[in-house]
Amino acid sequence: MITDFIGEVQIYGPGFMLAAWTVFWLTILTIVVSWVCGLLAALGHRSKVKAVRMLAAFYIWFVRGTPTLIQVFIIYFGLPQFGIRLSPFTAGVLSLGINSGAYVAEIIRGGLTAIPRGQTESSLALGFSPAETMRSIILPQVFRIILPSITNEAISTLKNTSLLSTITVVELTLYAQTLIAATFRPFEFYIAVAVIYLVLTTFLTQLAAWLERRYALQS
Amino acid sequence: MPEHILALRDIHKSFGETQVLKGISLNVTAGEVVSIIGASGSGKSTFLRSINGLEMPQSGFLDFEGLSFDYHPESRFFPTATQLQALRKKVGMVFQSYNLWPHMTVLQNVIHAPIKLLKLPRAQAIEEAEALLSRIGLYEKRHSYPARLSGGQQQRVAIARALAMKPSLMLFDEVTSALDPELVHEVLVLMASLAREGMTMLVVTHEIAFARDVSSRVLFFDKGVIAEDGPPEILRNPQSDRLRQFLHRILHDEVAGVGAGYGGTQQ
């Protein structure tokens, strides 16, 4: 029994490690894209230019109101009609990043409203530009406030990478499915996938908890 | 002829339908300590905030150390973002609610602007900041976060943060109004010592004792205009009924002796 298990791990383990590595990078890159999109949308939402505000609002409204899977399909299957052909990995990072960015935007928006107006004013009064004020005074405080919510969003992103099995990214789910097709043992392999996801999400949670302790606002 | 460090002419400001500043003109000479008193809603805070453009006037003129602004929106002397920043670097401001940055230590709060805006080398900025913090008696707290400090200590740090930019004019916007009564004194003492050293100051305040004992000039704001402008003696001999009524209301509440003696007047 035990030797069977060890034998199986030796056979399938390296493949799972490779797939987990793919999930890891998918998640990291998706988080980067989502933070960029989220920050732009959150700041766009308070822009003086009405068109920018409307664009930001439309983005958030569209993404939150449509299924993630459809957004993935639009990017991967839809864009080639306009000559934009992306690799499954790139399309996956882009679509999940754009998707998560809308939620990150809402989180950042909430964080921004939590910072008293006086924080901005004291910085402007010293002669800082609005942009520098945002960068070195406001956003560092927002980051500390939103860290717990942003962690939740990162964990969602991590789990959402399983959707990318549908566009042939060889991540954990698709790898397991190919093994199941050959062995007809869905229970073991899906459990294996679940356990690997658990390890990854736990790691992410611990990392966030560490960041939270490190950057906690003193009070 | 004394040299005017700040000249404002015909400053107008409205919020929607409400006219808050109805054409304020004011010349300030270097070294003057001007207390601005008046009922809430009289426009005194808005006026102070219009000096460094935290509130943009709708019209009027400003002259300050080589900067000349015309606030009429179509004027070619309407301040650009860069000019506004240049003004603000030379005009320190302290707020009612301190507004220290909670994610930075006391020292970081003080050195942030000199390093980024005056391009001081870090070591020099720290040296100057530590000298300022020693002066206000908070050197030991330099590595503390603002939340660990009392209101009075936070406000003194906020003053040090503004002074670190070596401003030639300081604006104080009701800086003791949010403080517990027993913490007001330490802040006023610091302001009085700045005044004695010749710092040019505009002080919006409810502390009549400070206006009387420390400032060299008192402005009484009423309904968006300067209703009285004179030496601190006008607090003893008000020329207008409005100031008389205002002082009566304020002093009625003031317990005898409170706030007396923040160190004599200058001049």
Side-chain angles (χ1 to χ4, degrees):
Chain A
M1 185 69 184
I2 295 286
T3 48
D4 278 2
F5 180 74
I6 291 171
E8 307 251 273
V9 166
Q10 277 172 344
I11 297 167
Y12 303 116
F16 270 113
M17 283 306 289
L18 208 63
W21 189 241
T22 306
V23 167
F24 176 77
W25 278 109
L26 275 174
T27 306
I28 298 289
L29 295 173
T30 300
I31 288 172
V32 170
V33 173
S34 77
W35 285 12
V36 171
C37 290
L39 190 57
L40 287 177
L43 296 179
H45 220 284
R46 359 170 93 199
S47 167
K48 286 198 184 81
V49 186
K50 192 171 180 212
V52 176
R53 283 202 308 274
M54 284 174 66
L55 188 69
F58 174 81
Y59 163 62
I60 293 169
W61 172 72
F62 180 86
V63 168
R64 298 210 310 168
T66 54
T68 311
L69 191 59
I70 297 301
Q71 294 160 17
V72 173
F73 285 173
I74 290 174
I75 300 265
Y76 183 67
F77 296 118
L79 287 187
Q81 272 181 262
F82 302 94
I84 303 170
R85 248 166 249 285
L86 302 170
S87 74
F89 188 91
T90 310
V93 166
L94 218 54
S95 54
L96 290 185
I98 289 170
N99 173 271
S100 170
Y103 297 92
V104 171
E106 288 293 88
I107 293 169
I108 295 177
R109 237 151 59 82
L112 284 170
T113 57
I115 309 295
R117 174 79 193 146
Q119 291 289 310
T120 304
E121 288 191 340
S122 61
S123 175
L124 293 179
L126 284 162
F128 284 105
S129 67
E132 179 61 26
T133 298
M134 186 55 82
R135 205 191 64 71
S136 64
I137 303 300
I138 305 303
L139 289 181
Q141 294 183 53
V142 169
F143 171 73
R144 287 160 169 85
I145 293 174
I146 67 175
L147 199 55
S149 338
I150 218 97
T151 307
N152 279 338
E153 184 50 33
I155 288 170
S156 289
T157 298
L158 168 59
K159 292 186 292 185
N160 273 342
T161 57
S162 69
L163 291 173
L164 303 183
S165 61
T166 58
I167 59 166
T168 72
V169 178
V170 188
E171 40 65 73
L172 286 166
T173 312
L174 184 57
Y175 178 65
Q177 281 169 345
T178 56
L179 295 181
I180 291 161
T183 61
F184 305 106
R185 287 162 56 195
F187 183 78
E188 289 95 321
F189 286 115
Y190 282 138
I191 287 289
V193 169
V195 167
I196 295 172
Y197 269 114
L198 263 179
V199 170
L200 290 171
T201 50
T202 306
F203 168 72
L204 205 55
T205 316
Q206 293 301 317
L207 179 71
W210 178 78
L211 280 174
E212 236 172 288
R213 279 195 304 275
R214 171 105 171 55
Y215 289 106
L217 280 185
Q218 311 284 318
S219 58
Chain B
M1 233 351 234
E3 193 192 337
H4 291 150
I5 183 172
L6 172 74
L8 296 154
R9 232 168 350 116
D10 207 21
I11 298 288
H12 281 84
K13 174 74 185 176
S14 309
F15 294 112
E17 295 290 292
T18 321
Q19 264 205 308
V20 184
L21 302 177
K22 300 170 185 165
I24 307 272
S25 298
L26 176 69
N27 291 328
V28 178
T29 310
E32 263 192 308
V33 177
V34 183
S35 285
I36 303 175
I37 59 171
S40 50
S42 59
K44 55 193 195 302
S45 271
T46 305
F47 173 67
L48 202 70
R49 291 161 57 83
S50 73
I51 293 173
N52 67 352
L54 283 186
E55 303 289 354
M56 275 306 233
Q58 270 109 11
S59 68
F61 304 87
L62 171 144
D63 277 287
F64 176 81
E65 296 205 331
L67 293 163
S68 288
F69 299 164
D70 176 351
Y71 288 110
H72 194 275
E74 273 126 56
S75 164
R76 60 195 187 87
F77 295 106
F78 191 84
T80 63
T82 319
Q83 287 172 327
L84 210 51
Q85 279 176 252
L87 171 78
R88 288 167 174 168
K89 283 177 199 172
K90 301 295 289 176
V91 179
M93 187 166 197
V94 187
F95 301 84
Q96 180 177 345
S97 48
Y98 339 130
N99 300 340
L100 292 180
W101 303 314
H103 61 301
M104 297 184 183
T105 63
V106 164
L107 185 68
Q108 287 167 339
N109 263 277
V110 179
I111 63 175
H112 183 60
I115 288 176
K116 296 261 177 156
L117 296 172
L118 300 181
K119 311 289 180 202
L120 283 197
R122 195 180 164 80
Q124 190 189 342
I126 290 175
E127 197 177 311
E128 292 182 12
E130 286 179 346
L132 272 171
L133 290 172
S134 303
R135 182 200 159 153
I136 63 169
L138 291 174
Y139 178 78
E140 272 69 39
K141 298 278 186 188
R142 66 196 183 284
H143 297 309
S144 302
Y145 284 88
R148 301 253 173 229
L149 273 55
S150 73
Q153 291 172 330
Q154 289 192 51
Q155 194 59 293
R156 280 146 64 201
V157 173
I159 294 172
R161 177 174 68 178
L163 290 176
M165 288 293 286
K166 304 185 185 77
S168 40
L169 171 67
M170 285 283 286
L171 310 176
F172 293 86
D173 190 6
E174 299 193 19
V175 294
T176 56
S177 299
L179 293 173
D180 289 336
E182 75 270 22
L183 303 176
V184 167
H185 186 77
E186 63 190 57
V187 173
L188 292 181
V189 165
L190 173 58
M191 289 165 66
S193 82
L194 282 177
R196 271 198 306 278
E197 287 166 18
M199 174 62 79
T200 314
M201 298 164 52
L202 263 62
V203 185
V204 168
T205 186
H206 290 130
E207 302 285 335
I208 297 300
F210 180 88
R212 187 187 57 218
D213 297 342
V214 180
S215 52
S216 54
R217 182 178 172 190
V218 175
L219 304 180
F220 171 59
F221 265 61
D222 187 46
K223 301 197 173 90
V225 298
I226 298 176
E228 274 197 54
D229 175 356
E233 283 70 47
I234 64 167
L235 295 170
R236 294 199 180 82
N237 284 311
Q239 303 300 301
S240 62
D241 286 341
R242 292 212 176 275
L243 179 53
R244 198 169 298 123
Q245 286 160 10
F246 173 75
L247 290 173
H248 182 75
R249 271 204 311 280
I250 296 269
L251 297 176
H252 201 68
D253 299 334
E254 193 170 310
V255 183
V258 167
Y262 292 116
T265 38
Q266 57 158 43
Q267 290 173 343

